[in-house]
Amino acid sequence: QVQLVQSGAEVKKPGASVKVSCKASGYTFTSYGIGWVRQAPGQGLEWMGWISAYNGNTNYVQKFHGRVTMTTDTSTSTAYMEVRSLRSDDTAMYYCTTVAYTTGCDYWGQGTLVTVSS
Amino acid sequence: EIVLTQSPGTLSLSPGDRATLSCRASQSVSSSYLAWYQQKPGQAPRLLIYGASRRATGIPDRFSGSGSGTDFTLTINRLEPEDFAVYYCQQYGSSPYTFGQGAKVDIK
């Protein structure tokens, strides 16, 4: 069965960086893209962007351009998302999800809580 | 960017009732690439409907989606206790993919 397993919770200071991992199993990794979605406490879902696991092409939401980098390692079927220059309003649960052109976001990781606090 | 507006924000119903949730897009959604997700407290979202009307694997047939263009609807027939949750629509037809603000179905 398809599984996405994310790395554990992180606590960071403002201005620091965080890198969240998402290890995929149960399918051919290059068959889907990997999207990243965040959810601030008590708030809705926010799309951040996605990366093609097939060719590494990325598509970021404009507000995250220059501060977020999404990568994949096909040898380990793992996707990564790095967020730099963290601010307190980056405190959120970060989810990875498979992305397919016709079906949307089929499968989701369990989420990684990133807390930004001085 | 396509803005999705969900209504109502909260729906208070009883088990066995029908829930009707609306999702309106600021511009036409390409190829009806509109999905619905369910999220329960402390859990990741779960895909219910894709392509506006196609149920995802394992989703009970009491969940149905309809619509095209700019107006979409999620209907839940005969609400079960486990259906009380927050529901999000998402368009994935044009970048950036966007979500609605969410709609909560709670117990009356």
Side-chain angles (χ1 to χ4, degrees):
Chain A
Q1 74 284 19
V2 174
Q3 273 197 306
L4 300 177
V5 178
Q6 298 184 224
S7 49
E10 303 263 13
V11 179
K12 296 291 183 181
K13 293 193 183 304
S17 299
V18 67
K19 192 170 187 176
V20 179
S21 68
C22 170
K23 183 168 177 60
S25 62
Y27 71 98
T28 301
F29 184 63
T30 51
S31 297
Y32 286 101
I34 295 288
W36 291 90
V37 175
R38 75 179 186 179
Q39 187 170 36
Q43 302 302 307
L45 303 174
E46 180 177 26
W47 181 257
M48 300 180 69
W50 71 284
I51 180 168
S52 166
Y54 177 73
N55 59 19
N57 287 347
T58 53
N59 188 296
Y60 301 130
V61 169
Q62 182 64 36
K63 71 178 283 189
F64 297 112
H65 264 283
R67 211 162 65 87
V68 167
T69 301
M70 298 174 188
T71 56
T72 58
D73 181 345
T74 55
S75 68
T76 60
S77 299
T78 303
Y80 299 90
M81 181 184 65
E82 182 180 34
V83 184
R84 297 175 294 280
S85 302
L86 286 164
R87 307 185 289 250
S88 57
D89 62 358
D90 290 317
T91 294
M93 185 72 80
Y94 289 78
Y95 294 102
C96 63
T97 174
T98 57
V99 177
Y101 284 113
T102 54
T103 55
C105 302
D106 300 70
Y107 303 98
W108 294 68
Q110 83 278 17
T112 297
L113 180 62
V114 175
T115 302
V116 183
S117 174
S118 55
Chain B
E1 169 177 321
I2 296 179
V3 176
L4 300 179
T5 303
Q6 293 185 237
S7 60
T10 302
L11 204 50
S12 296
L13 296 168
S14 301
D17 287 348
R18 171 186 294 175
T20 303
L21 305 178
S22 172
C23 177
R24 179 161 290 176
S26 60
Q27 53 189 282
S28 184
V29 176
S30 174
S31 303
S32 291
Y33 284 161
L34 191 287
W36 290 93
Y37 302 88
Q38 176 193 67
Q39 188 179 34
K40 297 179 182 179
Q43 295 185 17
R46 176 175 72 145
L47 176 66
L48 299 175
I49 301 288
Y50 66 93
S53 61
R54 293 171 169 78
R55 274 188 299 276
T57 303
I59 301 303
D61 61 7
R62 63 180 182 274
F63 290 92
S64 64
S66 63
S68 64
T70 61
D71 288 293
F72 299 87
T73 300
L74 174 69
T75 301
I76 313 170
N77 287 310
R78 304 177 308 279
L79 279 164
E80 297 284 344
E82 62 266 28
D83 299 336
F84 292 92
V86 179
Y87 293 84
Y88 294 92
C89 58
Q90 180 203 31
Q91 68 80 22
Y92 56 99
S94 54
S95 292
Y97 299 170
T98 47
F99 290 96
Q101 81 276 22
K104 185 176 184 179
V105 178
D106 66 14
I107 300 177
K108 190 172 183 180

